[in-house]
């Protein structure tokens, strides 16, 4: 098992719509030191965890250095190597230090932007089943369109870290959004 502890609980953050970044009524979640990445293949470790919990369409890279969000899908970011300062929630959001082993789960509409990172910063991103991801920049026109698409993004059946019984399922299901 690559999860550090089955009892781990995520930090939760709520961001408001700032007129450019819609954010979400569901909480943004961060698991600190959730995945044991102390091996020679941390990206594969994270991919195995996310895949086993039903989050596919994976990629490896970093986090864009411009403010953006995804209006058609939820996203999980697992830090495989290094560390970074990422602002979540848009320009008025929260700057968080994330490091190897941390996992951030962004409900559709949550703004994010990398402000700085170590040279070895490596992230595995993934999405639950659903439409393809679209990178949306924070503009008034995109915001208006996102307000129409975000309510139609269905909830995942599983937490990408702890599966069907994970905190995401409980925290996000209380929002009244349909489950896929």
């Amino acid at each position: 098992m690559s999860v550090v502890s089955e009892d781990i609980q995520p930090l939760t953050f709520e961001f408001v719509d700032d007129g450019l970044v819609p954010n979400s009524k569901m909480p943004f979640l961060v698991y600190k030191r959730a995945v044991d990445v102390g091996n020679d293949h941390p990206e594969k470790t994270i991919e195995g965890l996310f895949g086993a919990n039903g989050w596919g369409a994976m990629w490896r890279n970093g986090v864009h250095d411009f403010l953006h969000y995804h209006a058609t899908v939820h996203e999980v970011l697992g830090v495989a190597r290094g560390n970074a300062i990422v602002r979540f929630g848009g320009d008025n959001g929260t700057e968080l230090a994330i490091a190897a082993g941390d996992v951030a789960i962004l409900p559709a509409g949550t703004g994010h932007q990398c402000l700085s990172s170590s040279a070895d910063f490596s992230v595995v991103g993934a999405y639950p089943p659903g439409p393809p991801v679209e990178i949306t920049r924070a503009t008034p026109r995109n915001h208006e369109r996102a307000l129409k698409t975000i309510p139609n993004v269905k909830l995942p059946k599983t937490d990408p870290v702890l599966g069907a019984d994970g905190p995401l399922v409980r925290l996000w299901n209380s929002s009244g959004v349909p489950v896929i």
Side-chain angles (χ1 to χ4, degrees):
M1 175 63 75
S2 56
V3 175
V4 173
S5 168
E6 295 292 329
D7 296 330
I8 193 166
Q9 291 296 314
L11 302 172
T12 61
F13 300 83
E14 294 185 16
F15 302 119
V16 297
D17 182 333
D18 67 7
L20 289 176
V21 176
N23 289 304
S24 177
K25 293 180 180 170
M26 296 180 293
F28 161 67
L29 308 175
V30 178
Y31 287 99
K32 299 298 281 182
R33 297 174 299 284
V35 184
D36 180 2
V37 291
N39 57 59
D40 292 337
H41 46 81
E43 289 86 358
K44 286 184 181 179
T45 299
I46 293 171
E47 288 166 346
L49 176 66
F50 293 168
N53 288 316
W55 288 61
M58 291 180 226
W59 53 266
R60 295 181 185 184
N61 202 338
V63 176
H64 291 301
D65 63 359
F66 58 89
L67 177 58
H68 67 286
Y69 58 90
H70 309 293
T72 59
V73 68
H74 308 296
E75 181 176 45
V76 62
L77 304 172
V79 183
R81 302 173 196 264
N83 59 76
I85 303 294
V86 178
R87 184 171 44 229
F88 294 98
D91 289 337
N92 299 318
T94 299
E95 293 179 15
L96 290 176
I98 56 173
D102 293 350
V103 175
I105 309 170
L106 295 75
T110 303
H112 49 297
Q113 173 183 13
C114 185
L115 302 177
S116 65
S117 66
S118 62
D120 62 342
F121 183 56
S122 174
V123 171
V124 172
Y127 310 96
V133 67
E134 295 178 6
I135 296 172
T136 306
R137 291 186 181 252
T139 68
R141 181 180 170 141
N142 286 343
H143 178 267
E144 183 179 330
R145 283 195 301 238
L147 292 178
K148 295 174 185 167
T149 60
I150 291 171
N152 297 318
V153 177
K154 295 181 177 155
L155 290 179
K157 292 181 181 178
T158 60
D159 182 305
V161 175
L162 294 174
D165 296 325
L168 174 146
V169 176
R170 180 183 75 262
L171 293 167
W172 286 13
N173 275 342
S174 64
S175 70
V177 177
V179 177
I180 56 174

